[in-house]
Amino acid sequence: MVTEVWRLTIRGYRDNVIIRKRMLFTFFLFFVIFFCLVGRLSYLMIYKSSYLKKIAVGQWTSKVVIDAKRGKILDRNGKELAVSGDVYRVDLDMNTLRDTMKEKGLNEETVASELGQALNMDSAQVLKILRTTLPGGLPLASAKLTRRIDKDAADKVRALNLQGVLISEDTKRYYPNNNFLAQVLGHTNSDGAGLTGIELQYNKELSGTPGVMITETDKKSKEQPYTISEYTKPIDGKDVVLTIDEQIQSFCEKAALQAMTVNKAKAATIIAMDPRTGEILGLANKPDYNPNDPWIKGMSYDDLQKSWRNRAVSDTFEPGSIFKVFTAAAAMSEGLVKEDDRFVCNGSVIVGKRVIHCWKRTGHGTENFVDIIKNSCNVGFAELGKRLGAEKLISYARKFGFGQKTGVDLPGEAKGIVKNAANVTEVDLATISFGQTNTVSPIQYLAAFNSVANNGVWLRPHILNQVAHYDTNTSKEISDKTYNNSGEKRIIDESVAKQLRGYLERVISEGGGKKAYIEGYHIAGKTGTAQKVIGGVYAPQKYISSFAGMAPAENPKVTILVSIDEPDPSNYYAGQIATPIAKQLFNDIFNYMDIKVDASEEEVKNSMKKDVIIPEIRGEKKADALKILKDQHLDFDIDSNGDYIIGVSPLPGYSVKEGSKIILYTGTSANYNKVVIVPDLVGLSKTKALELLNNLGLKGICSSDGMVTEQDIEPGKQVTKGSAVTLTTDPLGD
């Protein structure tokens, strides 16, 4: 009995334990399930909340972003250089469009084909947009189809009568003057954001703030009657007013095109600045492109980038003799040279174990300091470099801003190369002093040159005048921001700058820059012809010819830089090809800016006319001779005695101005006196000199290429046709 009771007791206890275990297990199972549910809910409601909300909002709302109208780019006088015109865009309300397709029994391929034809788009591209989904795989609520279409295309889309295809106003960037100031203005990408130039540099100011329109829809994408549609009005971009003067820019454009075409050059760059403020008045690069159509078919992206590049800012080159301005400034500032110091140039000098040649291989003889600047003597400047030493020469190069970015407000600026003084060898010191070894950019060079014009004070070059907006209430332009980052610093003393300008004026009146001389104006400047470095070596027959000038020399109001890249190798000297371009540019600017002259009006007009060598027309029939004179822009008086020209006064070979009157004598036969005048050939290339002599019936004897530096028969002397003139040339000009 006791045993049975004990057995039953033990069984009851065991059953209780099992029940308790089962209860604990069941409770634990429910706890795990509850925990998983809470965890899942937390994951969905907290961690995935924003993602799911985004998908949900995308399903029950229709959102259209409304772009702000991009601000204008204006010149300093308010002339429009870049504007945004009204065009159209096409967006898709996908829910409505899907319902429309069901109602009309259309498939995606048919809709894509119809839209593609109306918009001149690839139907496959349209189909891809129609089939685009959200990241989670759900269908899109809205999509952008295309932008910046004209009214005709928009009307064609409307004619399809497809509900869900939304047509709204849009803006498109226009450049009214096409290629004008192309690389400076730059252009925008397909979304209207700045891609290059000013469009990129001041994209934030120009862009404005886009607006947005959001509406809540039902499952058929119809607006709900009791919900509030959100609409944020776009804020238009602000206008960017440049320092560019449209008229001066047109002069630069014309001069750059002339420099490139006349000299059969690879490229040309011209800059005009106000040295007193650092403002860029004009900047032209040729060749250029049309920002209205920047994506030229058939061109690789690399070639497109090259055509868009602002070479005045992004490209560097060895400056050649135009750098001598700064070597002279350094030596003068350090008191290492006086005006009457003597230099002897025999055509070359030995530096270390290397022979350094002057551009004039026959030498300049004994010169003073002013002469070595005027004659651009390499031997004289090698001596100046030696006096300065590497530390001082490099120090002044860096003071003038070389080897570092100027901070000009244009994208893609290059900083150039200036050797560290510790690495400058004896030969480097000589070559750096006359413009080799180191490299500069055009804008960097002109900023440094401006400091001489600005009495020794360097100013940062800039192209922004102000950022402004148009106030509709007052109908006025309100300034929001003006340029205030001049970086002003003194480089050399005012007295040194003034004295140096006087020396540079003699380069124009007496030296290698004579072809830039304008009667009645005081112009200071410097020429330079440098051999191009390609792949680390000097490339044969490839040069960069440059001229930098300032006017009026006593108180400069404008500075210019003319740079001609790879001109025709038969005539590449800067004194021959860059200075005439500069002269014409100065003439245009002087007239526009009303810069007064000391000379009479007649003298000024006369100085603007080109020099013409009277051609040999004796022996020609009268009609043929008169045509030749007319082509040379020469006037004439003629008798009517015969059919042939037998006499000309002045004689062929004389140099006269365009428009001059020539006296012609006629006869019944082609016989005439064989006397001609030997023209002035110094400064011409060998090819040009021989061609001129041949046209006059004279023989030219010359054994080497280069620029004519001497002729054995002096200019103006009478000789008989067939006489020989021996020419001396130098292989490199300045």
Side-chain angles (χ1 to χ4, degrees):
M1 186 69 179
V2 173
T3 303
E4 183 65 23
V5 171
W6 176 250
R7 188 174 61 80
L8 292 173
T9 301
I10 290 174
R11 179 192 287 178
Y13 175 78
R14 188 174 59 209
D15 289 343
N16 287 336
V17 170
I18 291 171
I19 291 169
R20 192 178 297 117
K21 283 183 178 180
R22 286 175 179 172
M23 288 177 64
L24 286 173
F25 176 76
T26 302
F27 176 78
F28 178 75
L29 182 63
F30 276 112
F31 177 80
V32 170
I33 293 171
F34 178 77
F35 182 80
C36 289
L37 288 172
V38 170
R40 180 62 179 170
L41 285 172
S42 299
Y43 173 75
L44 292 173
M45 297 175 69
I46 300 173
Y47 182 76
K48 297 286 286 184
S49 173
S50 59
Y51 171 72
L52 294 172
K53 183 179 179 181
K54 184 178 178 181
I55 294 175
V57 169
Q59 287 181 309
W60 76 63
T61 63
S62 174
K63 178 180 178 181
V64 176
V65 176
I66 304 165
D67 285 327
K69 190 170 185 179
R70 195 169 178 83
K72 299 176 183 177
I73 301 177
L74 308 168
D75 90 328
R76 66 190 302 119
N77 299 312
K79 302 286 182 65
E80 293 180 342
L81 302 174
V83 296
S84 292
D86 292 331
V87 285
Y88 298 89
R89 62 181 289 165
V90 179
D91 294 281
L92 303 177
D93 183 337
M94 297 301 296
N95 293 327
T96 302
L97 182 58
R98 281 188 280 267
D99 289 342
T100 302
M101 289 165 62
K102 285 180 182 178
E103 290 173 8
K104 293 188 175 184
L106 301 173
N107 57 34
E108 290 177 334
E109 288 79 3
T110 302
V111 171
S113 177
E114 290 180 353
L115 287 172
Q117 288 179 15
L119 295 168
N120 197 25
M121 286 179 66
D122 184 0
S123 58
Q125 183 184 354
V126 179
L127 186 61
K128 182 179 178 182
I129 294 171
L130 292 175
R131 290 177 173 174
T132 303
T133 61
L134 292 168
L138 294 172
L140 280 176
S142 62
K144 179 186 76 176
L145 183 57
T146 188
R147 298 186 59 186
R148 298 181 181 87
I149 61 172
D150 58 26
K151 188 175 183 300
D152 289 343
D155 288 342
K156 288 179 182 177
V157 174
R158 286 193 186 97
L160 297 175
N161 196 26
L162 291 171
Q163 297 296 320
V165 178
L166 309 176
I167 299 169
S168 57
E169 290 184 354
D170 198 3
T171 60
K172 181 178 180 180
R173 205 61 165 163
Y174 288 105
Y175 303 89
N177 301 317
N178 296 316
N179 295 46
F180 189 84
L181 198 63
Q183 288 100 338
V184 173
L185 295 176
H187 58 275
T188 59
N189 63 16
S190 58
D191 292 321
L195 193 61
T196 61
I198 292 294
E199 296 281 24
L200 173 61
Q201 185 75 21
Y202 291 104
N203 185 61
K204 182 179 178 182
E205 290 80 358
L206 289 164
S207 295
T209 305
V212 64
M213 183 172 68
I214 301 175
T215 58
E216 295 182 18
T217 59
D218 63 11
K219 67 177 183 177
K220 295 184 178 179
S221 297
K222 293 180 180 178
E223 280 194 45
Q224 297 297 295
Y226 304 112
T227 59
I228 300 174
S229 297
E230 292 183 26
Y231 174 71
T232 305
K233 186 178 180 180
I235 301 172
D236 290 345
K238 294 180 179 178
D239 296 339
V240 169
V241 183
L242 305 182
T243 60
I244 293 291
D245 186 305
E246 187 183 47
Q247 192 59 55
I248 293 177
Q249 177 65 27
S250 69
F251 299 150
C252 293
E253 296 272 347
K254 178 182 72 173
L257 183 61
Q258 182 181 353
M260 187 177 75
T261 54
V262 169
N263 298 296
K264 302 174 184 175
K266 177 182 178 182
T269 294
I270 291 183
I271 312 173
M273 289 182 66
D274 184 339
R276 302 165 299 179
T277 61
E279 293 178 344
I280 300 172
L281 303 175
L283 194 164
N285 294 292
K286 299 293 179 183
D288 52 25
Y289 73 103
N290 188 344
N292 289 309
D293 186 23
W295 303 92
I296 303 167
K297 289 183 180 179
M299 284 185 69
S300 67
Y301 188 71
D302 286 344
D303 289 337
L304 285 172
Q305 290 275 16
K306 288 177 183 177
S307 71
W308 301 341
R309 191 176 67 239
N310 186 349
R311 292 183 293 276
V313 173
S314 301
D315 287 10
T316 62
F317 64 103
E318 286 191 3
S321 292
I322 57 174
F323 186 82
K324 291 172 181 174
V325 174
F326 309 109
T327 305
M332 292 168 67
S333 296
E334 292 295 318
L336 297 173
V337 66
K338 296 177 182 177
E339 191 170 313
D340 57 357
D341 281 4
R342 295 290 165 183
F343 301 83
V344 178
C345 173
N346 295 316
S348 64
V349 63
I350 297 175
V351 178
K353 295 181 180 181
R354 180 176 162 186
V355 177
I356 302 292
H357 290 283
C358 186
W359 70 268
K360 186 177 182 182
R361 296 298 178 96
T362 55
H364 290 103
T366 301
E367 310 164 280
N368 62 24
F369 176 54
V370 182
D371 290 334
I372 69 167
I373 297 175
K374 182 180 72 177
N375 297 328
S376 197
C377 178
N378 289 352
V379 172
F381 273 89
E383 172 60 25
L384 281 190
K386 185 177 179 181
R387 293 185 189 184
L388 280 162
E391 287 285 348
K392 286 181 180 176
L393 182 57
I394 296 301
S395 172
Y396 273 91
R398 295 193 184 280
K399 278 184 181 181
F400 277 107
F402 299 116
Q404 55 203 295
K405 294 182 179 181
T406 65
V408 64
D409 50 338
L410 285 167
E413 184 181 9
K415 67 178 184 177
I417 297 171
V418 171
K419 265 199 165 188
N420 290 326
N423 300 328
V424 172
T425 65
E426 192 177 0
V427 172
D428 289 336
L429 182 59
T431 58
I432 290 171
S433 69
F434 54 76
Q436 292 182 1
T437 306
N438 292 337
T439 64
V440 305
S441 71
I443 195 69
Q444 187 185 60
Y445 178 87
L446 196 53
F449 190 71
N450 283 348
S451 62
V452 177
N454 193 35
N455 293 324
V457 176
W458 186 92
L459 295 173
R460 180 169 288 110
H462 65 276
I463 201 161
L464 176 70
N465 187 336
Q466 62 175 332
V467 176
H469 71 275
Y470 184 77
D471 189 336
T472 54
N473 296 322
T474 62
S475 298
K476 290 182 180 179
E477 196 84 37
I478 307 299
S479 178
D480 298 297
K481 169 187 172 185
T482 57
Y483 187 84
N484 59 358
N485 185 25
S486 67
E488 181 177 325
K489 58 182 179 180
R490 177 164 289 283
I491 308 299
I492 56 177
D493 289 341
E494 182 175 348
S495 59
V496 171
K498 286 183 175 179
Q499 191 175 13
L500 181 54
R501 291 202 300 268
Y503 298 158
L504 294 174
E505 188 178 349
R506 292 177 64 176
V507 173
I508 306 302
S509 60
E510 305 170 25
K514 281 190 286 189
K515 289 198 172 184
Y517 177 76
I518 302 173
E519 187 73 39
Y521 289 96
H522 299 282
I523 300 172
K526 187 72 190 74
T527 59
T529 308
Q531 200 166 3
K532 282 188 72 172
V533 176
I534 299 177
V537 297
Y538 288 108
Q541 301 293 297
K542 294 185 184 297
Y543 302 90
I544 293 181
S545 302
S546 306
F547 172 81
M550 63 181 81
E554 291 182 3
N555 182 26
K557 296 177 181 177
V558 63
T559 56
I560 66 170
L561 177 68
V562 176
S563 179
I564 306 174
D565 186 10
E566 292 187 27
D568 184 346
S570 67
N571 186 23
Y572 55 87
Y573 311 110
Q576 291 297 310
I577 66 172
T579 47
I581 301 296
K583 179 178 181 177
Q584 185 58 55
L585 181 57
F586 269 134
N587 264 319
D588 289 337
I589 293 174
F590 293 162
N591 291 333
Y592 173 67
M593 294 179 67
D594 196 25
I595 296 177
K596 304 298 181 184
V597 300
D598 297 329
S600 67
E601 187 176 341
E602 185 61 32
E603 287 175 318
V604 175
K605 284 182 180 178
N606 201 43
S607 69
M608 293 173 68
K609 296 175 181 177
K610 293 181 180 178
D611 292 317
V612 179
I613 301 294
I614 297 176
E616 176 59 279
I617 56 174
R618 294 171 300 178
E620 299 282 347
K621 284 192 173 182
K622 187 162 56 176
D624 295 334
L626 297 184
K627 184 179 183 305
I628 293 171
L629 291 180
K630 197 171 288 186
D631 290 342
Q632 296 285 341
H633 304 290
L634 293 173
D635 198 1
F636 54 84
D637 272 339
I638 185 170
D639 62 40
S640 55
N641 296 331
D643 296 327
Y644 293 90
I645 304 298
I646 61 170
V648 178
S649 179
L651 286 170
Y654 267 119
S655 177
V656 295
K657 293 288 185 182
E658 282 183 330
S660 297
K661 186 167 286 188
I662 311 301
I663 309 300
L664 305 178
Y665 303 95
T666 62
T668 56
S669 73
N671 294 325
Y672 62 92
N673 184 353
K674 306 294 185 182
V675 173
V676 295
I677 299 297
V678 176
D680 186 357
L681 303 167
V682 173
L684 298 181
S685 67
K686 172 186 173 182
T687 304
K688 295 284 185 184
L690 294 180
E691 180 184 350
L692 180 54
L693 289 174
N694 183 59
N695 290 339
L696 292 171
L698 298 174
K699 285 183 183 177
I701 301 173
C702 186
S703 59
S704 60
D705 291 329
M707 182 176 70
V708 177
T709 55
E710 294 179 17
Q711 57 189 83
D712 67 338
I713 302 178
E714 62 186 37
K717 188 172 181 179
Q718 293 188 10
V719 296
T720 57
K721 291 186 76 167
S723 299
V725 181
T726 302
L727 307 176
T728 302
T729 59
D730 280 313
L732 182 63
D734 190 50

